[in-house]
């Protein structure tokens, strides 16, 4: 993932956003359903979309990875976008202050 934006002449913002999305993708089932190259390309695509950055399309930039399909990239992006659509998790205290305990 770190080399792909360099190959695409991407700026630091795209690289940072891609890395953040990649980390968040680990909260989905993508890592057990798709090849790493597919997830990496999907997160580059999603980051570019979110930042409004154009990527080469003639030929498609993701062809640098032979095994990546646009269909699978879209599926991975949908999983991550669904993650962001969920409400934020609430904090649940898992400990009790001994001074608050029963006597």
């Amino acid at each position: 993932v770190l080399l792909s934006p360099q190959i695409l002449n991407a700026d630091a913002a795209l690289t940072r956003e891609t890395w953040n999305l990649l980390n968040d993708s680990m909260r989905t089932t993508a890592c057990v359903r798709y090849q790493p190259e597919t997830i990496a390309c999907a997160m580059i695509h999603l980051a570019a979309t979110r930042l409004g950055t154009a990527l080469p399309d003639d030929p498609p930039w993701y062809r640098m990875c032979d095994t990546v399909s646009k269909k699978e990239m879209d599926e991975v992006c949908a999983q991550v976008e669904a993650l962001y659509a969920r409400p934020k998790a609430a904090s649940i205290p898992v400990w009790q202050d001994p001074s608050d305990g029963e006597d």
Side-chain angles (χ1 to χ4, degrees), residues 7-99:
I7 293 169
L8 297 170
N9 295 321
D11 60 11
L14 180 60
T15 302
R16 186 173 35 257
E17 182 71 7
T18 299
W19 188 257
N20 291 338
L21 290 167
L22 183 62
N23 284 332
D24 290 346
S25 76
M26 297 298 291
R27 297 178 57 207
T28 72
T29 60
C31 61
V32 295
R33 297 179 60 203
Y34 300 96
Q35 294 296 318
E37 296 84 1
T38 300
I39 298 169
C41 286
M43 295 304 95
I44 292 169
H45 171 70
L46 186 56
T49 300
R50 290 172 65 138
L51 296 174
T53 302
L55 296 172
D57 61 355
D58 188 23
W61 64 272
Y62 56 87
R63 293 277 167 91
M64 65 183 168
C65 299
D66 297 332
T67 61
V68 176
S69 76
K70 179 77 167 98
K71 178 182 178 278
E72 288 185 338
M73 281 177 36
D74 290 341
E75 291 169 0
V76 174
C77 287
Q79 282 190 16
V80 173
E81 288 172 331
L83 177 68
Y84 292 139
R86 298 182 67 177
K88 291 193 177 204
S91 175
I92 301 171
V94 294
W95 61 273
Q96 182 178 6
D97 188 339
S99 64

